[in-house]
Amino acid sequence: MLLVTGTESFLADRAVRSAIAAVSKNAADAGDSAVEVTDLEASTLDVGVFAELTGPSLFATERVLVLRGLENLPSEMAPHLIEYAGSPSDDVLAVLVHSGGQKGKGVLDKLRKASVTEVVATAPKAWELPQFVAGEIRLHGGTVDEGAASALVDAVGHDLRALAGACSQLVSDSGGQAVTTQLIGQYFGGRAEVTSFAVADAAIAGRTEPALEQLRWALDCGVAPVLVTSAMAGGLRGLAKYSSAPSGMREADLAREVGVPPWKLKQLKQQSRSWTPGGLATAIKAVAQADADVKGASGDAGYALERMVLTITRAHGRR
């Protein structure tokens, strides 16, 4: 059995794909041509289906059972799953995917006590993203230095799927050469100037017109609306943590407390001078509303984002 836990869906999906690939390879090495994969939501599971999917195979084939949304497992199924974890079938790999949070924690704890192998899908911190990029590029057989890796993060943003796709594309098109800032500029230079972070920085600084201009250019260049709300939420969250952090902390400790790289502290210090707790609360609520809107609550994502920017810039400096 394999337990995949965590909120980062890209890494969770990768763990599931890797597990299936490993079973497929083992089957091929043993002379079997196919692996039977069943992928379903845990909420739909019942005793009969579970027994059928984990019981002896009539055709002696290797099988993989992927149960997603383990936190939604019916309560009556929990004892059966825990019992199975104590003595799993030799020819079935059960991959249990839990999307994080407290729901279903009791089942997780019992699975861990049964010594189930666990993969934790946790998103890297913002300052760890260049390392993620470097690892992705190495995974595809390429090389990149720290500066170029950071440039790609600046150009593409913090979404792991987008970063991984960019890494794959760059290595494929680099012709065996190192991935450089010049190559990144050729592919993503236009986006680098209109990233969601540029919108967030301008709005948090209270610069209404530049923030709206950056927003319009970003949307015209294909930047996903959800990346704009994500960048805005991250910027305001860091500012709120900085503003509420105990005074007198060392720079390294303060950076860890806030969750930003040390070089970011200077910018946060400057930003914090123009924000009050009430203004921050207003801005954060505006981002939450816009995030819900761009994910389906509103039919016009562009309007929702413009309203968010206006609300944030008006909250800037409010006493």
Side-chain angles (χ1 to χ4, degrees):
M1 295 188 78
L2 176 66
L3 179 62
V4 180
T5 61
T7 57
E8 179 45 66
S9 61
F10 170 74
L11 296 180
D13 289 344
R14 171 172 285 182
V16 173
R17 291 195 304 271
S18 296
I20 295 173
V23 173
S24 298
K25 183 179 184 302
N26 289 339
D29 291 343
D32 294 330
S33 59
V35 171
E36 180 184 334
V37 179
T38 303
D39 194 320
L40 50 79
E41 290 294 322
S43 61
T44 66
L45 198 64
D46 60 36
V47 175
V49 171
F50 185 62
E52 179 182 349
L53 294 175
T54 57
S57 171
L58 294 176
F59 304 101
T61 58
E62 295 287 338
R63 290 175 294 161
V64 179
L65 168 61
V66 181
L67 285 180
R68 300 185 186 273
L70 185 63
E71 64 274 16
N72 298 318
L73 183 76
S75 57
E76 65 271 15
M77 281 302 305
H80 297 280
L81 184 64
I82 301 304
E83 180 182 4
Y84 178 79
S87 182
S89 173
D90 291 335
D91 63 351
V92 179
L93 172 63
V95 184
L96 315 176
V97 185
H98 188 284
S99 60
Q102 292 299 308
K103 188 176 180 181
K105 186 176 181 299
V107 174
L108 289 182
D109 290 342
K110 291 177 181 178
L111 289 171
R112 288 167 179 148
K113 288 181 180 179
S115 300
V116 171
T117 301
E118 182 175 4
V119 173
V120 180
T122 302
K125 304 295 184 184
W127 64 88
E128 297 172 332
L129 287 172
Q131 299 174 22
F132 171 80
V133 165
E136 285 293 305
I137 289 176
R138 286 194 300 269
L139 182 67
H140 293 288
T143 59
V144 66
D145 62 29
E146 184 177 350
S150 297
L152 185 59
V153 174
D154 290 339
V156 176
H158 290 193
D159 182 78
L160 294 191
R161 292 184 191 276
L163 283 172
C167 290
S168 176
Q169 179 184 9
L170 288 168
V171 173
S172 175
D173 293 350
S174 66
Q177 302 297 313
V179 174
T180 63
T181 53
Q182 290 77 14
L183 182 64
I184 292 168
Q186 292 175 17
Y187 280 83
F188 304 104
R191 289 185 64 184
E193 297 175 0
V194 293
T195 61
S196 50
F197 301 99
V199 180
D201 287 343
I204 292 174
R207 301 166 60 228
T208 304
E209 290 186 7
L212 289 174
E213 289 177 359
Q214 292 280 14
L215 173 63
R216 292 177 187 128
W217 291 339
L219 294 178
D220 287 344
C221 289
V223 175
V226 70
L227 296 183
V228 179
T229 57
S230 176
M232 199 75 74
L236 289 171
R237 186 164 52 245
L239 184 57
K241 288 183 178 180
Y242 178 86
S243 300
S244 61
S247 60
M249 296 182 69
R250 294 188 305 118
E251 184 177 90
D253 294 334
L254 180 58
R256 280 193 294 271
E257 176 75 16
V258 177
V260 298
W263 59 263
K264 186 79 171 177
L265 293 177
K266 183 177 180 180
Q267 181 185 24
L268 290 174
K269 181 178 180 180
Q270 184 177 6
Q271 290 174 338
S272 67
R273 294 172 181 155
S274 301
W275 283 93
T276 65
L280 274 174
T282 298
I284 290 171
K285 288 179 181 177
V287 175
Q289 180 61 56
D291 189 59
D293 289 341
V294 301
K295 290 178 179 176
S298 170
D300 190 338
Y303 172 75
L305 292 177
E306 287 188 2
R307 182 176 58 189
M308 173 191 72
V309 167
L310 289 172
T311 302
I312 291 172
T313 55
R314 289 167 183 164
H316 177 268
R318 183 181 296 171
R319 299 297 175 188

